[in-house]
Amino acid sequence: MNSQDAEKKSYGWKSGLAIWTAGFFVFATLSGVSIWLLPFSVANQMMVLWHTLAGLLFLAPAAWYCFKHWRWYRRQLLTHHKLLGYLGLAVAAVCTASGLVLTWQALFGTRISYLWDRIHLFSTLTLVGFLGAHVLLIAWRDLTAARFPGWQVVRQAIRGYALNSGVIGLLLLAVAALAAYAYQPLPLHHEFPADYSYAYGDDRPFAPSQATTASGGALDGRALAGSQSCGTAGCHEQIVREWEVSAHRYSAMDIAFQKIQLTMAQQNGPESTRYCGGCHDPISLFSGTKNIFTDTSELTSLVGYQEGVSCLACHGIHETDLKGNAHYTVSAPPRYLFELEYDANPSEPLRWARDFLIRAYPWTHTETLSKRLFKAPEYCAACHKQFIDEEINSVGWVQLQNQYDNWRKSHWNQPGDPTRTIECRECHMPLVDSTDPASGDELDYNRTAGDGKHRSHRFLAANQLMPALLQLPGWEEQTRLTEQWLRGEFEIP
């Protein structure tokens, strides 16, 4: 090979690497903007996965090109073009480092750092400005320069560079689009059973409970189930352990509740048990299994019986009312890719993909499941206030248990003065030391975002018998803490 052939081969290699690097830059920018600005969707979640994977795959070639590019031009005079290149290279290093930190946190941590996320976003936008100006100004200089021998070849090379880079960027975007198109989510059937009884009217499918869904129709039982999977991601393990032995968890399997429910069904028809369902068995209520029956098992769905007030049944509530009898509205929160698939058939690859998406792309998860409403006693009032009326007793309206108004009229409630008020959560969900991503709370006057505590999901009250009868996991500890709570040995800040 003569020197001319070697020079052509070297130029071709450099040109190809430059085009692929620029194409990746186009893809990384457009996919990043998509993740940042477009709404939560299957396509955008696929974009998160491919943005991360492509970034790891192209990291070494892109870094090698930047190094070689610096070596080729480092001895030339410092111009504004070169200065823009140096600034772009520095910002690219920050963008790469922040991307690697976020990837590591999403893969092996319990949450990403919002500070690193902001750094990654702002360094990307800055990088677009510096490198975009660097490339465009050089191209403009060469395209508008006075004609010189071979100027047409230069223009053709610039156009080819721009076209090929754009094509590579679009092809990389197409990979995510094809993956989203090929993905077949586990279908949910939001329909009542064919034999569903509308005993209280077609417009009141959940009556006599006051609970309803945002659509007014049924929800597939799986839409509000899967509480155990919240503890398999390494994120909310402590909270799930607290919940799985709590009265909220065993609200449907409670032996006394099951006996009362069966008696109601035998005396007033199975539809009457919907009165209880909004508070004790919401998954069964909304999926339409509190219907015509031949034995006890048909008064509840399997997941409803096992989960009672599940994580999503509680965190999916977005509106409550002081009327009681489960007067709330619930929505099935949007689910991430592979969530339902993992619940149906647990496997490590599905778990890794699901967990990575929730951590790397957490905004929908936090916005839909964490609300200021949870902190209000009125939120608890939806279920912890009860009445019975003629639909059930054939007599008329009668007030039953009413913990909310008892609290509201007590000396524990001093409206407008949080320092003298003890709310429901402060007593029944005492603060516990926590490593959970949900720890900390800057909205409470006496707490901070980094206080290392969360509200216990044991929901301690006078319920020390049922966990032992049902032999729930950790019932001994629940019983001990309940007795300690009843003796007034929990300090309420």
Side-chain angles (χ1 to χ4, degrees), residues 208-211 275 278-279 323-327 381-383 385-388:
S209 173
Q210 301 294 318
Y275 168 82
C279 294
K323 190 174 184 178
N325 283 12
H327 201 291
C383 279
K385 182 176 179 179
Q386 182 188 6
F387 64 89
I388 197 167

Side-chain angles (χ1 to χ4, degrees), residues 144-161:
T144 57
R147 293 190 177 185
F148 55 89
W151 66 273
Q152 290 179 325
V153 175
V154 173
R155 290 194 176 188
Q156 185 178 359
I158 292 174
R159 288 169 183 163
Y161 171 81

Side-chain angles (χ1 to χ4, degrees), residues 78 212 262 385:
L78 181 64
T212 189
L262 182 59
K385 182 176 179 179

Side-chain angles (χ1 to χ4, degrees), residues 406-414 420-423:
N406 290 342
W407 167 84
R408 180 177 62 83
K409 297 175 182 179
S410 75
H411 69 280
W412 300 115
N413 180 30
Q414 300 293 328
R420 298 175 59 213
T421 297
I422 300 294
E423 296 181 347

Side-chain angles (χ1 to χ4, degrees), residues 126-317:
T126 307
L127 181 61
V128 170
F130 282 141
L131 288 191
H134 173 71
V135 173
L136 290 175
L137 285 175
I138 291 175
W140 179 255
R141 178 200 64 189
D142 293 345
L143 287 171
T144 57
R147 293 190 177 185
F148 55 89
W151 66 273
Q152 290 179 325
V153 175
V154 173
R155 290 194 176 188
Q156 185 178 359
I158 292 174
R159 288 169 183 163
Y161 171 81
L163 177 63
N164 291 331
S165 300
V167 168
I168 289 172
L170 293 176
L171 287 175
L172 290 173
L173 287 172
V175 173
L178 289 173
Y181 178 78
Y183 174 70
Q184 296 295 321
L186 199 67
L188 294 177
H189 305 290
H190 301 302
E191 300 173 353
F192 290 111
D195 64 349
Y196 192 74
S197 170
Y198 296 86
Y200 300 94
D202 292 349
D203 60 334
R204 301 177 65 209
F206 307 115
S209 173
Q210 301 294 318
T212 189
T213 61
S215 67
L219 288 176
D220 189 305
R222 294 168 294 178
L224 296 177
S227 299
Q228 295 291 349
S229 67
C230 298
T232 61
C235 298
H236 304 303
E237 291 178 345
Q238 186 178 354
I239 286 178
V240 169
R241 285 197 303 271
E242 295 164 352
W243 165 85
E244 66 183 358
V245 71
S246 72
H248 280 192
R249 186 273 171 95
Y250 65 75
S251 59
M253 64 175 72
D254 184 303
I255 297 171
F257 167 73
Q258 287 291 338
K259 292 294 184 182
I260 293 171
Q261 177 177 242
L262 182 59
T263 301
M264 285 184 66
Q266 291 169 340
Q267 294 181 353
N268 301 331
E271 302 90 348
S272 68
T273 66
R274 297 172 195 166
Y275 168 82
C276 313
C279 294
H280 279 265
D281 196 2
I283 295 176
S284 302
L285 174 69
F286 297 129
S287 61
T289 59
K290 290 192 172 297
N291 200 25
I292 299 169
F293 73 103
T294 56
D295 60 45
T296 311
S297 64
E298 293 186 21
L299 284 175
T300 187
S301 69
L302 180 61
V303 290
Y305 177 80
Q306 290 292 339
E307 297 195 39
V309 182
S310 66
C311 298
L312 293 181
C314 194
H315 285 260
I317 293 173

Side-chain angles (χ1 to χ4, degrees), residues 396-418:
W397 191 92
V398 177
Q399 180 74 66
L400 299 181
Q401 56 90 8
N402 185 357
Q403 289 97 345
Y404 170 75
D405 284 322
N406 290 342
W407 167 84
R408 180 177 62 83
K409 297 175 182 179
S410 75
H411 69 280
W412 300 115
N413 180 30
Q414 300 293 328
D417 187 356

